[in-house]
Amino acid sequence: MKAIECHNVSYLYPNGLKAINGIDFVVEENETLGIIGPNGAGKTTLFLALCGIIPFEGEIKICNTELTKSNVQSIRKDLGFVFQNPDDQLFMPTVYEDVAFGPINLGFSKEKVYSCVKKALLDVGLSGFEDRITHHLSFGEKKRTALATVLSMSPKILLLDEPTSELDPWAKNRFIELISKVEGTKIIASHDLQMIIDLCDRIMLLNKGRILEITGNTKDIKELYNKFNL
Ligand code: ADP
């Protein structure tokens, strides 16, 4: 099955900037696609379109269903979007409340919410952090909590925006290891070429809102990355 299909997807910000321009690609179920490109390439805008947060032009299908205004709420359940900045994702007083927020909104019973939170915290190596004050956590712990807030809802597709930015080398390696263990379909956007090569089956090279290449051949990507001086 195809997890994501994008056909001729574009988005013009209200200031007239076309941040993504005629984007076409497919992601197979359980595939990990990397999106590599410099700052301003359109990576975050593409994620916002995939989640139906911005009114894009073109067609997006998530798990074979076309994304429309009327079904965006239900389709969003299939997508787990981990923001670049964990402070944009975490807003509850404690780690438990943040990680429980999604499952509670999905209408799960108290017992199911509890087990989803426990499992998600175990998966990100934060068991025992339930009662910690979220805004007192280290940056690396916040990133892992933000990942847990999404994993607790078991999304079919995980979207990770610059997952390793601003992490120290130890926290970065830890986070990469966690991501590699998460099952399902993943799209990882970054300007860190080596991390993308290490984690992804195929890589999309995005620049100025357009796809320059999509390939599973890392040598091609390295050459193009250098050729375009990205
Ligand atoms: P990336 O995630 O690859 O760094 P973005 O999707 O954030 O790229 O940005 C793509 C382009 O859109 C950039 O030129 C950026 O300045 C512009 N942009 C992003 N957000 C807005 C906005 N809210 N209004 C206007 N332009 C924006």
Side-chain angles (χ1 to χ4, degrees):
M1 190 177 72
K2 293 181 181 16
I4 294 180
E5 289 168 80
C6 273
H7 298 297
N8 202 18
V9 173
S10 300
Y11 180 68
L12 193 69
Y13 277 107
N15 65 359
L17 187 123
K18 206 161 205 176
I20 48 173
N21 195 353
I23 299 285
D24 270 293
F25 70 99
V26 168
V27 184
E28 299 293 336
E29 193 179 7
N30 294 326
E31 185 181 20
T32 301
L33 177 77
I35 305 181
I36 188 92
N39 286 329
K43 303 183 291 297
T44 304
T45 306
L46 180 55
F47 278 163
L48 296 175
L50 292 174
C51 295
I53 293 170
I54 51 174
F56 60 86
E57 286 168 38
E59 183 189 66
I60 295 178
K61 283 188 184 170
I62 306 291
C63 303
N64 290 338
T65 303
E66 186 176 350
L67 182 60
T68 63
K69 270 186 199 158
S70 54
N71 66 15
V72 67
Q73 294 302 336
S74 65
I75 285 197
R76 233 178 250 166
K77 289 179 191 152
D78 290 335
L79 298 157
F81 185 7
V82 183
F83 302 142
Q84 176 172 359
N85 183 354
D87 288 325
D88 292 338
Q89 197 130 27
L90 305 172
F91 55 92
M92 298 296 278
T94 66
V95 168
Y96 187 92
E97 288 164 289
D98 257 320
V99 181
F101 186 84
I104 290 171
N105 264 334
L106 291 175
F108 293 174
S109 67
K110 214 173 171 183
E111 293 72 29
K112 178 125 193 249
V113 170
Y114 181 81
S115 66
C116 289
V117 174
K118 286 281 179 189
K119 165 116 187 23
L121 288 176
L122 182 68
D123 287 347
V124 301
L126 289 178
S127 289
F129 276 60
E130 288 80 350
D131 296 330
R132 295 280 289 270
I133 307 296
T134 309
H135 75 268
H136 288 168
L137 299 175
S138 72
F139 189 76
E141 289 164 349
K142 280 185 185 174
K143 287 282 264 197
R144 284 191 276 148
T145 305
L147 178 61
T149 66
V150 163
L151 294 182
S152 63
M153 293 180 281
S154 304
K156 291 184 185 144
I157 302 166
L158 195 60
L159 306 176
L160 296 144
D161 195 1
E162 299 285 359
T164 56
S165 67
E166 294 173 60
L167 289 175
D168 64 49
W170 185 85
K172 177 177 159 174
N173 288 338
R174 181 102 203 258
F175 206 72
I176 290 174
E177 201 187 324
L178 287 176
I179 297 168
S180 69
K181 284 187 183 150
V182 176
E183 290 177 359
T185 309
K186 289 173 267 185
I187 306 190
I188 307 172
S190 179
H191 58 264
D192 181 343
L193 182 58
Q194 194 54 53
M195 184 262 291
I196 290 287
I197 287 172
D198 291 344
L199 282 175
C200 300
D201 303 310
R202 284 188 308 141
I203 301 173
M204 172 196 296
L205 189 59
L206 192 68
N207 193 33
K208 296 184 182 155
R210 288 184 182 274
I211 298 176
L212 298 179
E213 179 71 282
I214 304 185
T215 177
N217 184 332
T218 50
K219 190 166 160 273
D220 284 355
I221 284 290
K222 277 187 176 167
E223 281 171 7
L224 278 168
Y225 197 78
N226 292 332
K227 181 177 158 194
F228 287 96
N229 207 11
L230 299 175

